[in-house]
Amino acid sequence: MPIPRTPAVARTLLRDDVYGRLRDAIVDGTFAPGEQLRDTDLATWLGVSRTPVREALLRLTQAGLVVSRPGRSTSVSPVDLSAVRDARGVVAALHELAVRESVPHLTEGDISTMREANRRFGLAIEWGDVEAAIRADDELHAVPVRASGNRALAAVLDQFTPMVRRAERLRFSSLDGRRSFARHDELIQLCRSMDADGAAMVAFDTWHSLPSVPADGSVGSGTRSSGLDTSDAAPPG
């Protein structure tokens, strides 16, 4: 398993940081589908003991990003189209709920934060910077999630959003990212006008319309191997 040449995690950081680093490395394709993940190598890369690495791998298994075979090996899961569609439905429904619950509580500062995030999102799309686009997108959608004050909702999103981000990368590396920019703008306008139902519908559509895979069957820029599992793929409609 090739180890990325990136700085180690500061020893004072908690296991959530180890989980975040491993999750992001899987989502952005640093660790390709099917690649073995050895806890000793990962611990060396991150500069931590094996314990938080093992805990992170367990969480990643629960999130569907890692496949663990007791006594054999742990590896990055293939892209399971059925699982992506299931996760996408859950994530879309929860963002719809978050927006519906948060609209009455959003401040002008929240709206400004969403606008600024969408401005940076649009620039990232124009520049073809997928990572920056995803960061800006996350910041924009985090506003209503945070404002909703619903911790259970946030916890479930944390579990299932990484799987959807594989599809997210596909949209943001294509012209469809520009349609996301327009949807964001509509969402912000509806939130500002206190139209909770309208804003919630746009939030749902924004997430639920994310593609499972592009037309060529790859899993987006940055991945070294698609590892695409099409066994559960639905036939074309």
Side-chain angles (χ1 to χ4, degrees), residues 25-188:
I26 292 171
V27 171
D28 69 18
T30 299
F31 296 139
E35 187 166 347
Q36 287 195 10
L37 301 173
R38 301 180 180 88
D39 55 6
T40 52
D41 291 342
L42 295 172
T44 299
W45 168 43
L46 297 171
V48 299
S49 70
R50 294 166 65 183
T51 298
V53 170
R54 287 174 173 174
E55 292 174 345
L57 290 175
L58 177 60
R59 289 178 63 185
L60 291 166
T61 299
Q62 295 169 341
L65 295 177
V66 163
V67 176
S68 180
R69 300 175 179 85
R72 294 177 59 189
S73 65
T74 299
S75 60
V76 178
S77 66
V79 179
D80 183 328
L81 303 187
S82 178
V84 170
R85 285 193 294 267
D86 290 346
R88 181 181 59 189
V90 170
V91 169
L94 289 180
H95 276 287
E96 177 185 14
L97 177 61
V99 169
R100 194 182 303 278
E101 290 187 348
S102 67
V103 164
H105 310 292
L106 291 175
T107 66
E108 281 299 324
D110 291 330
I111 298 298
S112 295
T113 298
M114 294 173 73
R115 281 177 173 161
E116 172 59 21
N118 199 34
R119 184 190 69 81
R120 287 185 282 106
F121 176 87
L123 290 175
I125 293 298
E126 291 298 324
W127 295 336
D129 189 338
V130 177
E131 299 303 327
I134 290 178
R135 285 195 300 271
D137 184 72
D138 285 344
E139 291 172 24
L140 188 155
H141 291 289
V143 173
V145 171
R146 184 170 55 248
S148 74
N150 190 325
R151 294 184 180 180
L153 181 153
V156 177
L157 283 175
D158 183 64
Q159 178 178 352
F160 288 104
T161 299
M163 188 178 295
V164 178
R165 280 178 181 159
R166 287 180 167 182
E168 234 180 339
R169 292 178 63 83
L170 306 180
R171 163 173 286 183
F172 298 159
S173 61
S174 71
L175 291 177
D176 200 36
R178 296 176 182 174
R179 287 192 284 274
S180 290
F181 177 85
R183 285 193 181 98
H184 289 164
D185 188 60
E186 182 181 4
L187 172 64
I188 295 166

